[in-house]
Amino acid sequence: MSPDLTGKVAIVTGGGGGIGRATALLFRQHGARVALFDRSEESLRAASGEDDGMMAAVVDVTDAAAVAAACARVEERFGRIDILVNVAGGGLPRTLDATPAADWDRIVALNLSAPFYCIQAVAPAMRRAGGGAVVTVSSLAALQISLNNGASYTSAKSGVLGLTRHAAFELARDRIRVNAVLPGPIMTPQMDAKIDPATREAIPRKVPLGRWLTPEEVAAPILFLCSDAASGCTGTHLVVDGGLHIGSPTDAATYFARRDG
């Protein structure tokens, strides 16, 4: 059964590109009206186009007051808020010794404080709508450590799982479900622009499915968690990593070479 979001209103942070943009477009395909939050006006313009069912807002999601004001504008325009997808995030590839306190604070604010601010801001509107669904994009780093970023990113993404569980418990009485997705190696435009050739080639050998995943392959589980098909799911998470979390000590080619023939 195809999820039907007709009549629903969703906010997607980090909606200007990558997983956020893929999620917003998928939600529109399934009937939702969508508000995109992003820091880049140019990215928002490209993502929203001329679609009257989309609203674009330049928002710094690490600013609680700005988030609250933007969410109020969404409810004013569309009349309700049913879904929140926290996608905005990012990190820095630094060791513990090389991480200034200001960088730690910035990464934790973007990846952990921002989802908290957004959940806090939309909860009253969701109560008025009779319930809702929240999905936060964490990372496989929440269960392991980050390959491309430092301890600030790993810590914040781990914290997202705690926030998800606690918010799910508190908001369940309001019929608001709260879940997370944990992507692994996703070839977003941001990743494509910064990755070195050696890593680009090496990652698929470590992934059981043998390839980088796409933003659309993360958007689909997000859609599921926000739909009535996941009505019994709250306080949990889905790993979307092509099987990388399995933790094989070797790549697939080496594994099967030792066993086949």
Side-chain angles (χ1 to χ4, degrees), residues 107 110 155 196 205 227:
I107 298 306
L110 179 59
S155 300
D196 61 88
R205 294 197 296 268
S227 74

Side-chain angles (χ1 to χ4, degrees), residues 33-34 51-56 71-80:
R33 290 170 292 170
V34 182
D51 187 346
D52 289 339
M54 280 195 178
M55 169 183 172
C71 291
R73 293 197 300 272
V74 173
E75 188 179 18
E76 181 179 2
R77 172 166 171 176
F78 290 134
R80 58 189 297 137

